[in-house]
Amino acid sequence: MSVDEELGKNEKILQVTEPHQLSYIGQYFSVVLIGLFFLGLFSALFGIVIMLLGTLLVELVRRNNKYYVTNKRIIHDFTFYFLMRKMSNAFYDKLQDLHLTQGLIERLFDLGTLSFNTAGSHVIEIKFKGIKNPTFTKKLIEEHLRKS
């Protein structure tokens, strides 16, 4: 089932984005370190296989995270093929806080993470992690927050 099938009446997707490769640099680096550990512990071939499989897994996870901004809500959809699916969404009238976080590297590459709180909760419930041009997405969402 796709996000298009989940949309309500008169609901339109305004933006679709996904995490940028640089936002997963820590996971890629960890995979390389683990591969180097196995490379020294067992054999070169085993270490290389661990690095390749780990990198592939991290890339699959990154590519299967999708973030949607519609005219009625925000949606985070994580679908890992047929194995699992997690969809989180929040309608604009339920959003309380919107935070943009950018570190030094993220600012240099125009990346950032948008975090959302909803009414009745004090924890971050939805995150758009490592998206390109986060200021544009933030302004788009704020425009719809003002309308709701």
Side-chain angles (χ1 to χ4, degrees):
M1 182 175 265
S2 71
V3 169
D4 290 326
E5 296 168 1
E6 299 277 339
L7 296 178
K9 185 177 179 182
N10 299 324
E11 187 172 13
K12 295 180 180 90
I13 295 175
L14 305 174
Q15 183 186 29
V16 180
T17 188
E18 63 184 25
H20 192 274
Q21 296 94 331
L22 285 175
S23 66
Y24 277 72
I25 196 76
Q27 287 87 340
Y28 292 122
F29 186 69
S30 298
V31 164
V32 169
L33 286 179
I34 291 168
L36 289 173
F37 173 76
F38 282 107
L39 189 107
L41 195 61
F42 297 109
S43 69
L45 180 62
F46 189 67
I48 291 170
V49 168
I50 292 292
M51 280 190 237
L52 290 174
L53 289 175
T55 302
L56 177 65
L57 181 64
V58 169
E59 186 62 14
L60 288 174
V61 166
R62 184 190 72 79
R63 286 179 184 235
N64 284 293
N65 274 291
K66 298 281 189 243
Y67 310 122
Y68 299 86
V69 178
T70 77
N71 58 330
K72 297 187 178 198
R73 61 184 162 159
I74 57 166
I75 303 167
H76 174 202
D77 184 34
F78 176 72
T79 304
F80 201 71
Y81 302 102
F82 61 90
L83 298 175
M84 73 167 285
R85 182 173 191 206
K86 178 183 177 193
M87 181 186 279
S88 303
N89 68 78
F91 287 91
Y92 292 122
D93 62 344
K94 301 292 184 207
L95 288 178
Q96 295 292 312
D97 295 313
L98 167 59
H99 303 279
L100 169 60
T101 307
Q102 291 179 297
L104 177 62
I105 301 297
E106 290 173 315
R107 290 190 70 174
L108 289 172
F109 291 99
D110 194 23
L111 303 174
T113 298
L114 292 174
S115 305
F116 307 93
N117 289 2
T118 59
S121 176
H122 298 290
V123 297
I124 301 298
E125 295 180 277
I126 299 176
K127 276 189 178 186
F128 287 11
K129 179 184 177 188
I131 60 172
K132 188 78 175 153
N133 198 357
T135 308
F136 172 79
T137 304
K138 182 176 184 271
K139 287 179 182 176
L140 181 64
I141 293 168
E142 286 173 337
E143 180 182 312
H144 286 282
L145 281 172
R146 282 190 284 279
K147 290 178 185 177
S148 64

